[in-house]
Amino acid sequence: MVEAHLRGVRKALAAGWSVLERGGSALDAIEESVALMEDDDTFDAGRGSFLNRDGKVQLDALIMDGATLQAGGVGCVERLRNPVRAARKILSESPHVYFVGAGAEQFAAEHGVPLCRNEDLIIAREVERLREYQREEAGHGNELFAPTISHDTVGAVALDRQGNIAAATSTGGTLNKAPGRLGDSSLIGCGCYADNLSAAASTTGWGEPIMKLVLAKWTADRVAAGNLPEWAAQEAMNYLKQRLNGHGGIIVLNAQGQIGIAHNTPRMAWACKTIKKEEAGIERNGV
Ligand code: ASP
């Protein structure tokens, strides 16, 4: 699905860029980019996500504002097409930071984010993928987190004209996960982080090692210490591999507009645009 991934990230990039071009905020830009990828069946976010052990879609998302450190997160939601929009409402309209399950759905509905049925988020490709996985598991056991098992979480980082950065991450989590399992993606500092004084970062990959290492914040701290995002992104992947034999990918951006993209999986689709140039790819290994 290489082409579908490249198409998906390019479309998300265009949506975010058009917000920034109009003078919109980094926060608005990443919300639009991530919502678009949630709507795209290709990715493990929103409709088309991996199914959990019970055959349900269960979604996590976080959005964070680097200017104010305000954040909004949802975990284990089952009735939201666009968890990032609910997360954004939490960021802007709630004194709280994080809602899970039915409470998150209730908050979303009360704040104008429409609910859907869980079945509306399930597609045939994923029903088959789960069936296949469980069949193999019953036979000889699966290595659930082998690097070849796709991690298709989506994320975005942006810098706006006001000099503010922001980050968002959204996921359906890992294939065949236990119901109620929460990954790194929606946890502050793990799958997502943003602070104008350090960096905006979004991760994908095997969530358990990433959250143990608080990897997005770890990376932002390296940038705050004076390192380039490009170096910090690669170092984060080295640290993930060396410390916990983890795998994944990360995108990083600081308030000076310097960018880092790294992964230690075979592939990770990415797209990136500055005033000077636009790029996209499916591999970006090495600094
Ligand atoms: N990091 C996500 C999780 O563990 C999975 C992914 O990136 O695809 O929930």
Side-chain angles (χ1 to χ4, degrees):
M1 293 174 71
V2 164
E3 278 314 312
H5 280 79
L6 282 170
R7 246 194 329 273
V9 294
R10 283 200 183 102
K11 271 169 67 181
L13 180 72
W17 187 262
S18 81
V19 173
L20 295 172
E21 223 173 16
R22 292 195 303 267
S25 69
L27 210 51
D28 285 342
I30 57 168
E31 181 184 343
E32 290 316 311
S33 292
V34 168
L36 218 93
M37 291 188 280
E38 289 174 337
D39 290 340
D40 186 335
D41 287 3
T42 306
F43 302 107
D44 178 31
R47 187 166 188 274
S49 286
F50 292 146
L51 302 180
N52 73 7
R53 202 176 57 198
D54 292 350
K56 277 189 155 184
V57 167
Q58 239 179 20
L59 306 167
D60 311 327
L62 185 89
I63 187 165
M64 187 160 179
D65 178 10
T68 60
L69 301 195
Q70 282 179 305
V74 293
C76 295
V77 292
E78 297 181 356
R79 297 167 62 212
L80 290 170
R81 277 184 190 278
N82 292 112
V84 73
R85 298 218 187 272
R88 176 65 193 275
K89 290 281 183 195
I90 294 167
L91 181 154
S92 354
E93 292 175 33
S94 170
H96 305 305
V97 170
Y98 208 96
F99 285 77
V100 297
E105 289 160 2
Q106 187 184 334
F107 178 93
E110 285 168 4
H111 290 80
V113 179
L115 299 183
C116 65
R117 298 171 312 158
N118 196 256
E119 304 87 84
D120 299 335
L121 304 173
I122 298 174
I123 62 171
R125 179 192 73 211
E126 294 307 321
V127 173
E128 186 44 43
R129 195 198 300 274
L130 181 69
R131 198 176 291 142
E132 174 84 4
Y133 183 90
Q134 292 182 339
R135 198 166 35 228
E136 276 180 31
E137 190 183 43
H140 43 80
N142 267 315
E143 203 199 328
L144 179 56
F145 299 115
T148 45
I149 289 195
S150 168
H151 290 283
D152 257 346
T153 290
V154 304
V157 292
L159 165 66
D160 62 27
R161 282 191 200 168
Q162 280 64 50
N164 295 319
I165 52 175
T169 306
S170 181
T171 190
T174 45
L175 175 63
N176 197 46
K177 66 184 179 181
R181 175 266 190 191
L182 193 78
D184 61 307
S185 306
S186 63
L187 298 177
I188 290 190
C190 301
C192 186
Y193 195 71
D195 182 347
N196 280 1
L197 302 183
S198 55
S202 174
T203 73
T204 177
W206 180 12
E208 279 71 10
I210 292 172
M211 73 174 102
K212 288 173 193 165
L213 299 177
V214 198
L215 200 62
K217 177 69 161 64
W218 185 97
T219 311
D221 286 347
R222 265 65 207 164
V223 178
N227 300 294
L228 286 174
E230 199 175 8
W231 180 88
Q234 189 57 52
E235 271 307 291
M237 293 300 102
N238 297 343
Y239 178 47
L240 178 63
K241 176 75 187 157
Q242 283 157 14
R243 188 70 183 92
L244 288 175
N245 198 25
H247 59 263
I250 189 165
I251 53 174
V252 188
L253 170 71
N254 65 10
Q256 289 69 51
Q258 293 165 312
I259 296 156
I261 302 170
H263 56 99
N264 66 357
T265 49
R267 293 187 180 119
M268 180 180 80
W270 57 272
C272 169
K273 184 162 177 160
T274 67
I275 289 168
K276 293 202 188 102
K277 62 175 178 184
E278 178 171 341
E279 287 177 277
I282 196 85
E283 272 177 43
R284 175 110 166 194
N285 280 320
V287 175

